[in-house]
Amino acid sequence: MHTIRVDVGASKGRIAEAIYGHFAEHLGRGIYEGIWVGPQSSIPHIDGIRTDVVEALKAIKVPVIRWPGGCFADEYHWKDGIGPVEERRAMVNRHWGQVLDDNHFGTHEFFRLCELVGCEAYVAGNVGSGTVQEMTEWVEYMTGPETSPMGALRARNGHPDPWAVKFFGVGNESWGCGGNMRPEYYADVYRRYQTFLPQYRSDHRMQKIASGSHDGDMDWTEVLMREAAAQMDGLSLHYYTIPSTWEHKGSATNFGLEEWFTTLKKALVLEDWIQMHGEVMDRYDPTRTVGLVVDEWGTWYDVEPGTHPGFLYQQNTLRDALVAAVSLNIFNNHCDRVMMANLAQTVNVLQALILTQGAAMITTPTYQVFRLYAVHQGNRQVATKISTRDYSVGGEAIDQLHASASQDAGGVVHLSVVNLHPQKAASIQISMHQGDAPWGIAEASAEVLSAPEITSKNTWDTPNQVRIQPLTGIGVRENWLDVTLPAKSVVELRVVPMAAAPGHDEPSGSRHQVGAGKGGKG
Ligand code: AHR
């Protein structure tokens, strides 16, 4: 028997909506085709932006989109992407397939996308091949008053009102594709560039994000925090789950039980990186004024056979759904440090939410997880303590279950549990507490995401193979729940308190004393 103890009285604080963020780069068919079809297209659109994609993104309450890159950001010159489309200068997308980008999707189109989806903008600026002046002027163009030179240009291009930029990234992967810099050098470059980022909107302060580390490169985080923490709101971290090696990553759809295990084990390493980078950040920023921004995460496989190697197009299976679920659990459980996370990437690229083929669109298993987990956005995280069995393969073991929980403003608790085992169901006794006192349950319901095979996926012919369904057979008594999770599943439980207690505003208990699931701190 597996057990989960939920303590509604213990919290690390609020789960920022932005933890459920996304990333759309000028890469392959991500923007062009996937989001932008242009005003002349026969595919239904609003101002050139696909209606089906907008509706799908709205349905999962996408809080923020990061754009235009990735590596592309450091070769993007924003002035090429404004004004009449027929006059826009094309560019070669050198990082991603050497293809021509006609710049028809630019600043105005990006903000229109955000407006249609109802999300915040996270704009990544060009440090690698751009100047301070270019970056300053872009911020003025986006956020400055109509009376400023760039604001006037924006108005002439059809948008007199300034937009709000909630997050601005000063470069991307500046240790690699963003300029191959050393941390000491980038720390100074960051300090310089951010000095000239104007804050035009007193009603919408723009948060500055420094280009951060990846995986276990602690030195980059150490130097950046030491030299520039005072000038940043967030520091990024990139982590991709790659089942095998960088050269031969593995197939997205053709894999067995061993690769299922390896992939999930590698996905769980994200928690180690968050803890380790968080510890370095804590030394320089004990009051946690700088947020960790995991602005690229997700699975990365070999491209689908027959597709352009530079377009990073991959299918998406139930395995990806479980990677997404454990990653979101990790972010929820570390909401006291993680201020934003952005899945790579939104449409047709890497661990996509959505795949398109001409006018057709399907949502992936990963999308379904975001749909299930949207309930956590903005909630108060609550502590979970799991006692579970090992799931072992070839002498290596991980926990069979993985969880996170939150409480909404109405007092309802949302518990997300993942059963990582591909063949064994898990019977779980869940107990609900408020500190030492029992937390009485009035009612509980649940939804489950699973599928017949570990490789199950949604396709053009079978778009609903991996889908959310109700989970029945939940036993409720006093403060106890009995639930059985099918093998290889993600379950979202909704637990209503006996006396409708309003959600707490303030976290109780110290951040470090609150349990964050098995393997979590404290
Ligand atoms: O998401 C694909 C690429 O991965 C991004 O452009 C880059 O930042 C990272 O290396």
Side-chain angles (χ1 to χ4, degrees):
M1 176 64 72
H2 307 259
T3 62
I4 301 180
R5 186 182 200 279
V6 179
D7 184 353
V8 180
S11 174
K12 287 186 178 180
R14 188 173 178 277
I15 296 172
E17 286 86 350
I19 280 180
Y20 289 80
H22 294 278
F23 168 38
E25 179 168 16
H26 288 235
L27 195 177
R29 299 188 302 114
I31 295 283
Y32 297 105
E33 285 186 44
I35 290 172
W36 176 255
V37 286
Q40 313 305 332
S41 177
S42 59
I43 297 172
H45 63 87
I46 309 165
D47 300 335
I49 297 169
R50 291 182 75 122
T51 316
D52 51 1
V53 169
V54 166
E55 289 308 317
L57 297 179
K58 274 163 71 176
I60 57 168
K61 298 204 296 181
V62 165
V64 58
I65 298 178
R66 175 178 185 242
W67 172 84
C71 294
F72 181 81
D74 282 292
E75 59 176 7
Y76 181 64
H77 299 285
W78 68 271
K79 283 186 181 166
D80 294 342
I82 56 168
V85 281
E86 59 284 359
E87 289 171 23
R88 294 188 193 175
R89 200 165 72 101
M91 66 176 284
V92 176
N93 189 334
R94 280 185 293 273
H95 280 289
W96 306 118
Q98 305 277 332
V99 290
L100 216 57
D101 184 325
D102 61 15
N103 268 312
H104 285 193
F105 190 91
T107 304
H108 289 251
E109 293 73 21
F110 171 63
F111 280 98
R112 185 72 178 120
L113 169 69
C114 293
E115 198 175 279
L116 292 171
V117 171
C119 72
E120 302 284 358
Y122 175 10
V123 175
N126 180 348
V127 170
S129 68
T131 62
V132 170
Q133 182 182 1
E134 185 181 7
M135 191 181 280
T136 306
E137 288 186 342
W138 197 11
V139 174
E140 184 173 298
Y141 187 85
M142 295 184 285
T143 62
E146 210 183 324
T147 48
S148 66
M150 291 298 116
L153 179 58
R154 181 192 64 236
R156 285 201 296 281
N157 285 332
H159 206 280
D161 291 336
W163 294 290
V165 176
K166 182 143 188 191
F167 306 102
F168 191 89
V170 181
N172 168 76
E173 295 194 352
S174 302
W175 41 264
C177 66
N180 281 305
M181 302 178 209
R182 291 169 299 109
E184 292 77 7
Y185 179 74
Y186 173 70
D188 280 347
V189 167
Y190 173 80
R191 289 167 60 123
R192 175 170 166 239
Y193 273 67
Q194 70 79 37
T195 304
F196 302 98
L197 290 182
Q199 293 282 1
Y200 281 110
R201 306 276 313 257
S202 53
D203 52 339
H204 291 282
R205 192 180 157 270
M206 191 176 74
Q207 299 184 43
K208 299 182 230 177
I209 314 293
S211 168
S213 185
H214 64 104
D215 306 340
D217 179 357
M218 308 311 300
D219 186 44
W220 186 275
T221 300
E222 177 86 35
V223 174
L224 261 291
M225 288 302 292
R226 189 182 68 221
E227 304 297 342
Q231 283 89 17
M232 63 176 84
D233 297 291
L235 179 61
S236 76
L237 174 69
H238 290 180
Y239 177 59
Y240 285 98
T241 299
I242 299 170
S244 195
T245 62
W246 183 251
E247 290 72 29
H248 303 285
K249 302 180 182 71
S251 163
T253 52
N254 186 12
F255 58 89
L257 289 173
E258 207 168 304
E259 274 166 291
W260 167 274
F261 175 84
T262 317
T263 309
L264 292 173
K265 188 168 187 290
K266 287 192 170 181
L268 290 166
V269 172
L270 175 61
E271 177 150 39
D272 297 341
W273 301 147
I274 290 175
Q275 269 171 352
M276 287 161 70
H277 289 280
E279 278 161 21
V280 174
M281 293 172 82
D282 280 349
R283 268 196 278 118
Y284 295 98
D285 175 36
T287 55
R288 300 192 175 176
T289 57
V290 180
L292 187 61
V293 176
V294 188
D295 55 15
E296 289 186 28
W297 68 271
T299 53
W300 194 327
Y301 308 115
D302 298 334
V303 297
E304 279 299 294
T307 64
H308 193 305
F311 283 10
L312 310 187
Y313 176 74
Q314 63 192 40
Q315 245 292 6
N316 196 290
T317 68
L318 183 62
R319 174 175 62 165
D320 295 272
L322 268 78
V323 169
V326 298
S327 304
L328 294 173
N329 282 342
I330 292 168
F331 298 141
N332 285 347
N333 288 331
H334 290 274
C335 65
D336 51 342
R337 179 56 89 179
V338 180
M339 68 183 248
M340 173 158 58
N342 309 74
L343 175 69
Q345 300 194 3
T346 314
V347 192
N348 293 333
V349 176
L350 297 175
Q351 189 177 352
L353 293 172
I354 292 169
L355 303 177
T356 67
Q357 194 176 64
M361 183 205 89
I362 52 175
T363 59
T364 64
T366 298
Y367 176 92
Q368 310 307 325
V369 169
F370 274 86
R371 190 171 195 143
L372 273 181
Y373 275 58
V375 288
H376 291 297
Q377 289 189 30
N379 287 357
R380 173 182 168 272
Q381 182 264 358
V382 298
T384 53
K385 194 166 194 286
I386 304 178
S387 167
T388 181
R389 298 208 190 96
D390 278 352
Y391 156 35
S392 355
V393 171
E396 293 189 82
I398 54 179
D399 287 349
Q400 185 177 341
L401 298 181
H402 196 266
S404 70
S406 70
Q407 186 180 38
D408 67 26
V412 174
V413 169
H414 303 273
L415 173 62
S416 301
V417 190
V418 187
N419 180 4
L420 286 80
H421 204 293
Q423 291 150 326
K424 286 188 188 161
S427 296
I428 315 173
Q429 265 191 356
I430 299 168
S431 61
M432 306 289 299
H433 304 265
Q434 173 98 41
D436 292 333
W439 189 88
I441 302 167
E443 59 179 73
S445 58
E447 291 186 304
V448 60
L449 181 74
S450 192
E453 309 294 335
I454 54 172
T455 53
S456 290
K457 57 184 184 288
N458 293 339
T459 67
W460 312 107
D461 299 331
T462 54
N464 296 312
Q465 181 84 356
V466 188
R467 65 178 185 284
I468 299 168
Q469 291 178 300
L471 181 74
T472 52
I474 302 168
V476 180
R477 59 196 154 88
E478 296 164 0
N479 65 319
W480 292 87
L481 290 167
D482 291 300
V483 185
T484 299
L485 262 63
K488 53 180 174 6
S489 68
V490 182
V491 164
E492 184 61 45
L493 277 141
R494 183 174 183 277
V495 193
V496 179
M498 195 69 91
H504 299 240
D505 291 335
E506 293 299 325
S508 63
S510 127
R511 282 186 289 235
H512 292 286
Q513 285 164 355
V514 179
K518 202 176 169 196
K521 264 183 182 173

